[in-house]
Amino acid sequence: MTPSGPEPAPPGRTRRADAARNAALLLAAARELVAESGPEVALDEVARRAGVGNATLYRHFPTRADLLVAMYADEVAELCHQGADLPTGLSPADALFSWLDAFVVHVATKRPLALAATEGATGRRSALFDQWHTSIHTTASGLLRRAQDAGAVRPGLTVTDLLALAGGAALTATDVAHARRLTALLRGGLETGLETGD
């Protein structure tokens, strides 16, 4: 009896895999193009860079806003993932301020994308920003609580205070390097100098 090769994947599974791959290609291409020329990039150019047809692009992302929303949602997910995936050897204070540095860079560089993604859709903008804010707030809250439990950060500091201070630094700084410097200075005012081990 001749041994048979591996059974082919069911057509539905193959289509889903192809769709996921095309969506990933489109998002990667869009990130490159937005980094090069800003959120007003032509959708046809995104399709060309991704190596897919326009029909595939519009099937996944019917409008520019849909594409930009997906891009920014990925950026928020990556920021929150960084908070959950910090090196285990970091002290609670180092973990908090390492992530806060990433948050400041995110705000300083991704705000135009977030605004472009929700432009012209007031109700949708509110819902999306609430969703993204909740994710970031949850990540920051866990890191702040751990630092406070270790006695490293002022006990009266709230996560709302922390994000407002860091966000303010990001939005008022002259560039990303300046925002990161302001955040480092902020750390000196928020730490107690009394950190204990876990």
Side-chain angles (χ1 to χ4, degrees), residues 13 19 56 66 75 80 84 98 103 121 126-127 131 137 154 175 193:
R13 185 182 304 169
T56 298
D66 291 322
E75 297 289 352
C80 294
S98 175
F103 168 75
S126 179
Q131 177 184 331
H137 189 282
R154 295 177 181 275
D175 54 28

Side-chain angles (χ1 to χ4, degrees), residues 143-167:
L143 292 166
L144 175 60
R145 188 181 310 112
R146 182 167 171 252
Q148 288 175 324
D149 288 346
V153 174
R154 295 177 181 275
L157 181 69
T158 69
V159 68
T160 301
D161 296 336
L162 180 68
L163 293 177
L165 289 167

Side-chain angles (χ1 to χ4, degrees), residues 13 22 40 48 56-57 61 67 74 77 82 84 96 98 108 120 123 137 165 168 170 174-176 179 184-185 189 198:
R13 185 182 304 169
N22 286 337
E40 295 306 313
R48 280 193 294 271
T56 298
L57 167 66
F61 306 109
L67 177 62
D74 276 358
Q82 288 182 49
L96 172 63
S98 175
H137 189 282
L165 289 167
T174 55
D175 54 28
V176 173
L185 293 171
D198 288 341

